[in-house]
Amino acid sequence: MDEHVGGPRAGEGAEPERENPIVGRDTELARLFRAVDSASDPVLVLLGDAGMGKSTLLDRAVSRAGASGARVLRAEGSESESSLAFSALHQLLRPVPAEVDGLPDRQRAALHDAFGAGPATTGRDPMLIGVAVLSLLSGLAGRGPVLVVLDDAQWFDRASLDALSFAARRLAGEPVTMLVAARTGDHLPGFDRRVPTLVLGPLEAAAAGRLLDLRPWRPAGRIRSRILAQADGNPLALTELARAAAAQDGPAQPPPTGPLPLTEHLERIFAARLDGLPASTTRALLLLAAMDTADSAVAVPAALPDTEDDAWLPAERAGLVRRTGRGLRFSHPLVRSAVYHAASAAARREAHLALAELLHEEPDRRARHLAAAATPPDAAVSAELERTADRARRRGGHAAAATALQRAAELAPGREDSARLLVEAAAEAVLTGDLPWVEELAAAVRARTGDAALLADAAAHVGRLAALTVRHTVVFSRLADTAEELAPTRPATALDLLVGAAVVRFYSGEDAQRDRLQDLLRRLPEDPSHAWPRTWVRAVSDPFGHREALVSLLPHLAAEARRRPDRLTAFAVMAWLLDETPWAVRAFDDAFDRWGSRGPLPEGLGGAAAWSYVEQGKWGRAREACARGSALGSTAGLDHAVACASAVDATVLAYQGDAAAARARADEALALIDPLESRSVAVYARRALGAAALADGAYEAAYDQLRTVFTADAAPVHYHASYPALADLAAAAVRGGRRDEATAIVERSARALAAGASPRLRALISRARGLLAGPGDAERHFRAALADPVLEHWPFERAQTLLDLAEWLRRRRRVAEARAPLTEALETFRRLGARPWIDRARAEARAAGLDVTATTPDALAALSPQQQQIVRLAARGLTNRQIGEKLFLSPRTVGSHLYRTFPKLGITARSQLRDLVEATPPALNVESHSIPGARWGSPHGETRTGHRS
């Protein structure tokens, strides 16, 4: 492979003018050229059936890019390689080893591990490979335009697609264009939604006729009509049917009767060319057809004749292969398919065994060929595939691991062994986000065994993934029904299913689901070893109904999480649900820093981390969590996870004053879910839209949005997500003339929560009552909302209450008393970067006679939220690459943002950022990953910065 055109097509793009001219594709070709010339679309997907000319168009795009001096990387999918983790990515990046070696240590190690050149460390962050690809492409783009060409992408392995789609979504602003070609109808994870797409349809009749006229022998009469009818505008079919007709003794030969399916017909045409070929040619073609592209580097020299050998000449004359700059390749993927399937089963088996023998130092590729040659049962090959799956799993290649285990199950000698392997395959397939595949594997388990344990495990795997989809009503019923069936015989597995069902209950917000969960829990025997999952189900499904008892368990659960790092995230989620946010933040920090991600899917309630950071004023950290959740969800095709992240991100953007961006993110969240199926996300998105309207001072619009998070009779739409909106609802109601209605909602919520309300919710209710109260009663409610010192852990909410109190005091002409809460509120808003509230507090402070001269934080507040994140991280000494890793941006994008922010900040050098940020109030830097002085033993540790964290 050379550096310009990767993979088996190496060199072919250099001489396109020697090919037949492209007919009938002027519009499509112009579209590709625009993408190559201007990088107007970072990614363009080219779809079409086999033979529609996708590869030919890509060749022209490659030639144009090369002529303009662009760097071109190319990879071609192979059906036989689709189960080899990261094989397509390795093919793409093999021409640039120096650039791979020049990546930061963690990124370089991640790629080496993915390619099998590293130690395959367990626990490797799965997002790091995507970041590494993004960094590499960005680095290449720093030297000139880059074109990435992915041909036959429907056959790319899933791990490569995940990494490439991750990078593709972040190429905006980079001089990088990614062209992706795939067959129509094939699922292309990561590239199948909201990506510009160009579809190649059949050629029009006139263009099809012109293409036939370019053939050496021009079909006429009945033969021409028959070719045009059967080809149906497919360029490859037109060309090959014309070639076949010319070979049948000229035009006097009548065409065959009866239509055949196009693909079958073409394969039969190609296979017919094998007739009469020398045995040496036939064997060489079969070996080439059985190889992977990566096999060829090892196997070709030993297994195949040299490209100059006479064995290839008959194949060339028959149009089956053609020479390229790096050797020989099939003239079309269908040729490879035809060659392979035309051979007898015995011949194919012999070819794979020969290749397996040659690849003895490549165990994974050797195992694939042994599996292709094996007939069930074959215990030895099954065991070899298990080892292959283990290696793929440790590299993060979960799709490859599941595929290997599925084939191992087919070859296993015993039905129970087969079922066990299928359950393991399902466990790996869960981590791909492919629910139909997991369900297929679970069905295969049921067909092979009656073992209750294996059947329960298979059901649990389906439930684990299904809980993260948008099908909440169906999924909950399935999980609950299965748990009920298993409760008498498999209580532990039944409880595992209820763990997933509780997540669905949270997302859906359906109260009937809470009742069923509680009923099923009562039926399960009390077992001390089951305390953790039982606590999870109770906390997730009804946190305020059991709050006092659940909070009393937190110290014990924290101690257990310290011993079991895999439970850190679950503990953090429970703490967040109970409004013990300080505990949640510390646990999330610890989980991210010590444990990392345990797979490419967000865990259940993945948005809890982002919400915890939002609540504690760590907005930059919250946006990092949102970026991660969105990236993971997009990669896995889980719209619900993307929607969760979008809703939280929208809230932060609204608080920071970027109302337009907030509305766009909230609308994205709402577009991805059914609000009746996913009440939690719907409520979060409406809260974000309400916050955006408040930021704009549009109080009636804010009320309209926030009113939707409560039902017509004033009940919460969601048992957890609705309540934090009470104070904002009251603020909008007072200014929008809806006081009475809002009062009814607040009081109903107060009655519903009663003793179960957390200190935070009691404070929000008190603030809401203060806003809605008459002139004589407001102060006591505001004071109550500020009374508990623990409320400092929700700085934005506390600052809003301080501002409300100060405004009330000033309007009562108690100006001197108003100054202290005003000063504290303004300081908090400044350090958080809450621009609309900074402006409001400034105006109030001026009216109170305070000096509110603009300070450095206002300069930062003039930046976009993303620019603020980048500036703060850069001020801490992080490089562009390190910032890119955190925010899932390319280093060039980070550098571009910094370049644009320096003039706004009045600085000229990166070294000035630290002084600029440190000149802000002490608490400005809210992005730290740890909490100084905080201890696991206490939920309310003091920090050394002078405020509670």
Side-chain angles (χ1 to χ4, degrees), residues 95-186:
V96 288
E99 284 76 4
V100 172
D101 289 340
L103 290 170
D105 291 346
R106 293 176 67 242
Q107 296 179 29
R108 181 178 64 251
L111 277 183
H112 284 168
D113 284 0
F115 297 155
T121 308
T122 57
R124 175 74 61 189
D125 186 339
M127 305 306 298
L128 202 54
I129 295 171
V131 173
V133 175
L134 179 63
S135 295
L136 189 147
L137 294 178
S138 178
L140 287 173
R143 288 171 258 166
V146 176
L147 176 64
V148 178
V149 176
L150 311 177
D151 199 1
D152 279 326
Q154 75 277 357
W155 288 329
F156 276 29
D157 63 280
R158 177 60 186 272
S160 293
L161 277 175
D162 288 347
L164 290 165
S165 63
F166 176 95
R169 289 189 294 273
R170 290 157 179 82
L171 291 177
E174 300 277 359
V176 179
T177 300
M178 186 178 290
L179 302 180
V180 186
R183 290 189 181 177
T184 302
D186 282 297

Side-chain angles (χ1 to χ4, degrees), residues 128-278:
L128 202 54
I129 295 171
V131 173
V133 175
L134 179 63
S135 295
L136 189 147
L137 294 178
S138 178
L140 287 173
R143 288 171 258 166
V146 176
L147 176 64
V148 178
V149 176
L150 311 177
D151 199 1
D152 279 326
Q154 75 277 357
W155 288 329
F156 276 29
D157 63 280
R158 177 60 186 272
S160 293
L161 277 175
D162 288 347
L164 290 165
S165 63
F166 176 95
R169 289 189 294 273
R170 290 157 179 82
L171 291 177
E174 300 277 359
V176 179
T177 300
M178 186 178 290
L179 302 180
V180 186
R183 290 189 181 177
T184 302
D186 282 297
H187 178 53
L188 209 59
F191 293 100
D192 53 359
R193 189 184 65 212
R194 298 189 297 276
V195 176
T197 300
L198 179 61
V199 179
L200 292 185
L203 293 178
E204 295 180 355
R210 290 200 304 274
L211 185 59
L212 285 183
D213 290 340
L214 292 172
R215 303 308 306 160
W217 171 72
R218 295 173 56 183
R222 289 180 302 156
I223 293 179
R224 183 184 182 92
S225 298
R226 187 55 175 270
I227 290 172
L228 288 169
Q230 280 200 294
D232 193 25
N234 185 294
L236 179 66
L238 288 162
T239 300
E240 296 305 325
L241 290 171
R243 189 197 301 265
Q248 295 175 353
D249 298 326
Q253 180 70 23
T257 58
L260 290 172
L262 181 61
T263 299
E264 177 185 347
H265 186 62
L266 286 174
E267 287 193 355
R268 292 180 64 171
I269 289 174
F270 292 136
R273 298 186 202 167
L274 297 172
D275 295 342
L277 293 179

Side-chain angles (χ1 to χ4, degrees), residues 356-612:
E357 179 64 26
L358 291 167
L359 293 165
H360 60 277
E361 294 185 359
E362 299 282 340
D364 294 337
R365 299 184 183 282
R366 178 176 181 274
R368 191 193 72 79
H369 288 293
L370 289 174
T375 54
D378 195 320
V381 176
S382 180
E384 189 69 33
L385 288 169
E386 276 196 81
R387 290 188 285 272
T388 287
D390 185 58
R391 287 188 290 269
R393 180 190 298 116
R394 285 184 279 125
R395 293 199 302 272
H398 301 288
T403 300
L405 288 165
Q406 187 173 14
R407 178 59 175 155
E410 294 169 357
L411 296 174
R415 293 178 66 83
E416 293 303 309
D417 281 341
S418 177
R420 173 186 61 81
L421 290 166
L422 286 167
V423 169
E424 292 182 20
E428 292 301 311
V430 162
L431 298 174
T432 70
D434 190 341
L435 183 57
W437 189 12
V438 178
E439 291 174 328
E440 172 195 331
L441 291 166
V445 174
R446 292 192 294 271
R448 283 169 169 77
T449 184
D451 184 285
L454 291 174
L455 291 172
D457 287 345
H461 290 319
V462 173
R464 178 187 172 195
L465 181 56
L468 298 174
T469 69
V470 295
R471 298 159 42 189
H472 299 315
T473 302
V474 172
V475 170
F476 182 87
S477 296
R478 180 188 298 169
L479 291 171
D481 291 348
T482 307
E484 187 171 13
E485 292 173 10
L486 295 172
T489 57
R490 301 279 299 174
T493 304
L495 193 52
D496 284 342
L497 292 169
L498 294 185
V499 165
V503 174
V504 179
R505 145 69 174 160
F506 180 88
Y507 286 144
S508 73
E510 174 58 59
D511 287 341
Q513 295 176 356
R514 174 201 59 199
D515 298 339
R516 188 163 189 206
L517 283 169
Q518 292 176 347
D519 178 61
L520 289 170
L521 274 182
R522 285 191 292 268
R523 298 190 199 183
L524 294 174
E526 293 282 354
D527 185 330
S529 66
H530 297 166
W532 183 281
R534 291 183 74 95
T535 303
W536 168 270
V537 174
R538 293 168 63 204
V540 172
S541 62
D542 192 15
F544 301 130
H546 305 284
R547 186 176 185 279
E548 184 176 351
L550 290 167
V551 169
S552 70
L553 296 175
L554 286 181
H556 171 74
L557 296 175
E560 188 168 350
R562 287 197 298 272
R563 295 190 300 270
R564 293 277 304 275
D566 56 313
R567 288 185 171 175
L568 277 171
T569 299
F571 169 79
V573 168
M574 288 188 282
W576 169 71
L577 287 165
L578 295 167
D579 271 341
E580 292 294 326
T581 304
W583 237 331
V585 166
R586 285 195 293 279
F588 279 126
D589 281 344
D590 206 8
F592 292 153
D593 292 342
R594 291 174 47 199
W595 190 244
S597 174
R598 303 306 298 164
L601 290 185
E603 293 295 333
L605 304 183
W611 276 120
S612 297

Side-chain angles (χ1 to χ4, degrees), residues 762-842:
R762 286 198 295 271
L764 288 172
I765 290 172
S766 292
R767 180 191 168 212
R769 284 170 166 165
L771 289 164
L772 297 166
D777 296 327
E779 183 175 7
R780 67 184 178 89
H781 293 302
F782 289 139
R783 298 289 186 190
L786 296 166
D788 192 336
V790 74
L791 300 176
E792 293 182 9
H793 292 290
W794 292 269
F796 183 61
E797 293 172 5
R798 176 179 168 80
Q800 288 177 300
T801 306
L802 286 167
L803 180 57
D804 291 334
L805 173 62
E807 289 177 335
W808 185 88
L809 289 170
R810 191 183 66 79
R811 283 157 178 72
R812 308 277 86 72
R813 301 186 182 279
R814 295 160 63 180
V815 176
E817 293 177 68
R819 288 171 181 166
L822 258 178
T823 300
E824 185 178 348
L826 181 57
E827 178 186 344
T828 300
F829 293 142
R830 279 174 168 167
R831 70 178 173 82
L832 294 174
R835 283 181 283 179
W837 284 266
I838 292 171
D839 294 341
R840 180 178 150 198
R842 266 207 206 123

